[in-house]
Amino acid sequence: MLYSSILKPVFFQMDPEKAHHLVIDGLHTAGRVPGMNNMLHAMYGVADAPELAVDLFGIHFPHPVGLAAGLDKNGVAADGFSSIGFGFAEVGTVTPKGQPGNELPRLFRLPSDEALINRMGFNNEGAEAMARKLSQRKIHRIPIAVNVGKNKATPNERAHEDYRSCIQVLYPHGDFFVVNISSPNTPDLRALQHGDELRTLLGEVLEEIGLQASKLGSKAKPVLVKIAPDMTDEQLELTVSTIKDSGVSGIIASNTTISRDGLTHPNAKETGGLSGLPLRERSTEVIRSVYRQTQGKLPIIGSGGIFTADDAYDKIRAGASLVEIYTALIYKGPGVLRELTNGLKERLRKDGYRNISEAVGADHR
């Protein structure tokens, strides 16, 4: 109620990127005030519910609804997001060296479509800066994923060096890692999703993960690959086959789309990646295809257009073991997490499932 009646009207009068920074900086600053994270948790936190708990990749998730990458690009607000009800959070995308990203303006709201368009271009402070921020975390309530990418100036044939560099610096600070090869806002990045380029990249990433694990004398941390929703069926099949054969731990489906089908808002003319409600059906289709192709043996995190518990549950039944939100948080505020988790519990009871894992892939049975 506080968000929808007071904060959202203020934020939506502001430039979208300024509002974005205000939220992230506010959560970061609040986390430094004694007792503030506990207050946020009391206001917005999601109570433990055994039926929603997920154990995946050797990691415990208190519930399946996480934060997608792109909101906390530098990992400065991990404690804040841990306090407002998320089941996990993905920080980044981070690159080895800090970079300013694309020119302003580069973030646009489409309220009539419940969507956002961004062409941020991996703006971030770099891997070393993120490592410092994550090392200062005080709250370890939820798993943190680190989403890694390449610098804009790095050619694709050397992209693996950037991904390895990020992992070298950030390995101690992430519970799992996400290889971002699907943002539409870095030139030629999506070419890494296909064929030999993808095979080589994932081989290099997994080698680096293994080296870092050996240094610590521990088991290798999971690696997932984030894919685009804009591939043809044939491209998707080839990409998923390469990912499956690589030995990574899972797939995130999907990133933002370059499609503009069905949009009504004037900002639809802006270039960049579209997120939000218009992506809902396509991302669920991709989840369903990935699950079918991998026979449900490669875990999927579903992302794209989740605004309601039905949206989340549809992705879970299509094959997602976990789901992520971003745009819904902007439009509905942190109260959306209790709405989603309470709704998921209701749907589990209705369908007679004891745990959310039993619903994963139910549409295929």
Side-chain angles (χ1 to χ4, degrees):
M1 194 70 179
L2 171 67
Y3 184 83
S4 60
S5 61
I6 298 175
L7 296 179
K8 182 181 175 182
V10 173
F11 289 150
F12 273 54
Q13 289 296 316
M14 298 174 63
D15 170 80
E17 188 164 349
K18 288 182 179 177
H20 173 117
H21 289 304
L22 181 63
V23 170
I24 298 301
D25 293 344
L27 281 174
H28 172 61
T29 301
R32 300 168 68 179
V33 177
M36 185 59 71
N37 280 320
N38 289 335
M39 183 181 299
L40 288 172
H41 189 60
M43 291 174 64
Y44 295 112
V46 172
D48 288 343
E51 64 267 42
L52 293 184
V54 177
D55 291 294
L56 194 67
F57 319 125
I59 299 171
H60 180 74
F61 298 82
H63 65 76
V65 185
L67 174 70
L71 195 56
D72 189 2
K73 292 179 178 293
N74 296 302
V76 301
D79 282 350
F81 287 117
S82 298
S83 300
I84 63 171
F86 282 102
F88 65 99
E90 191 181 340
V91 297
T93 298
V94 64
T95 55
K97 300 175 183 177
Q99 59 182 28
N102 295 323
E103 292 183 3
L104 301 173
R106 55 193 181 181
L107 180 62
F108 307 90
R109 301 186 191 97
L110 292 76
S112 59
D113 300 304
E114 293 187 280
L116 299 171
I117 290 174
N118 91 83
R119 51 173 180 261
M120 306 298 283
F122 288 175
N123 57 308
N124 73 103
E125 296 174 0
E128 294 283 357
M130 179 182 278
R132 287 195 297 273
K133 297 294 192 305
L134 292 179
S135 70
Q136 296 166 5
R137 286 174 61 206
K138 299 175 182 177
I139 299 172
H140 298 268
R141 188 179 287 121
I142 62 173
I144 298 294
V146 177
N147 183 301
V148 296
K150 78 173 187 72
N151 281 112
K152 183 177 181 179
T154 303
N156 277 6
E157 58 268 24
R158 294 182 55 191
H160 63 276
E161 297 174 9
D162 279 14
Y163 289 89
R164 292 189 74 145
S165 178
C166 287
I167 291 166
Q168 289 166 9
V169 173
L170 287 158
Y171 190 82
H173 306 291
D175 295 294
F176 61 104
F177 291 83
V178 179
V179 176
N180 188 348
I181 50 172
S182 51
S183 169
N185 301 317
T186 294
D188 298 324
L189 183 73
R190 287 188 170 190
L192 294 172
Q193 293 182 116
H194 310 298
D196 291 338
E197 290 87 350
L198 179 57
R199 190 173 296 106
T200 298
L201 175 61
L202 296 183
E204 293 276 352
V205 166
L206 290 174
E207 181 178 63
E208 189 60 51
I209 289 282
L211 287 173
Q212 296 303 317
S214 295
K215 287 181 182 179
L216 296 176
S218 60
K219 183 180 178 182
K221 293 180 179 179
V223 175
L224 285 78
V225 181
K226 190 166 194 174
I227 62 174
D230 302 312
M231 289 183 274
T232 65
D233 291 345
E234 182 180 10
Q235 289 172 331
L236 179 61
E237 185 174 341
L238 291 171
T239 295
V240 172
S241 178
T242 301
I243 292 172
K244 183 176 66 172
D245 292 343
S246 73
V248 301
S249 301
I251 288 176
I252 298 183
S254 63
N255 211 318
T256 56
T257 181
I258 57 175
S259 170
R260 297 294 186 265
D261 291 347
L263 299 182
T264 61
H265 195 276
N267 281 341
K269 68 182 186 298
E270 299 292 346
T271 59
L274 173 77
S275 64
L277 205 57
L279 184 55
R280 178 180 59 191
E281 301 306 323
R282 176 55 185 165
S283 63
T284 304
E285 287 175 11
V286 173
I287 292 164
R288 189 170 286 111
S289 295
V290 172
Y291 188 91
R292 188 183 303 117
Q293 185 177 339
T294 60
Q295 294 84 50
K297 296 177 181 177
L298 190 66
I300 302 165
I301 298 179
S303 181
I306 297 172
F307 274 66
T308 68
D310 280 334
D311 298 337
Y313 198 50
D314 285 347
K315 283 178 166 49
I316 290 166
R317 290 185 59 98
S321 295
L322 302 168
V323 295
E324 293 179 334
I325 65 170
Y326 178 137
T327 307
L329 184 67
I330 306 302
Y331 279 91
K332 302 183 78 170
V336 71
L337 290 156
R338 285 183 181 171
E339 177 189 338
L340 293 175
T341 51
N342 288 337
L344 285 174
K345 285 188 285 187
E346 291 174 9
R347 283 148 186 80
L348 290 181
R349 284 193 291 270
K350 181 180 177 182
D351 288 349
Y353 296 127
R354 293 168 297 176
N355 182 269
I356 195 75
S357 61
E358 296 176 18
V360 175
D363 288 347
H364 300 266
R365 298 194 284 271

